[in-house]
Amino acid sequence: MNSPAPLRVYLWTWAALMGLLAATFVSAHFALGSLNVAINLAISAAKTVLVALFFMHVPRATAGLVIFSVAALFALSLLLGLSGTEIAPRA
């Protein structure tokens, strides 16, 4: 069984997540048009990666968890892609 990560790893991850939360808050207060969406999606992706790597322990996980994580990412990308193709003709 793997030993848990040191406490400082969790504290640095929490600090990074709080920094990204502040970045999301700040970016929402600037009128950048459609660039706001791109910035906030990039911040959201960074938060997702931090949670998966450090809190879900995906790099040290069993094959089952890795397979389900990849399947969830595939399903999410499929849903977002299909939503984009449905919304794009309206714009």
Side-chain angles (χ1 to χ4, degrees), residues 10-77:
Y10 292 117
L11 292 176
W12 279 108
T13 305
W14 178 80
L17 287 170
M18 290 300 109
L20 289 169
L21 175 67
T24 303
F25 179 77
V26 168
S27 73
H29 284 42
F30 289 106
L32 301 175
S34 62
L35 190 60
N36 268 351
V37 174
I39 290 171
N40 287 331
L41 283 175
I43 292 171
S44 174
K47 288 192 265 188
T48 302
V49 168
L50 284 174
V51 168
L53 291 178
F54 295 106
F55 291 126
M56 292 177 61
H57 308 288
V58 171
R60 299 183 289 163
T62 61
L65 181 62
V66 173
I67 289 171
F68 280 105
S69 297
V70 170
L73 286 175
F74 176 74
L76 179 64
S77 65

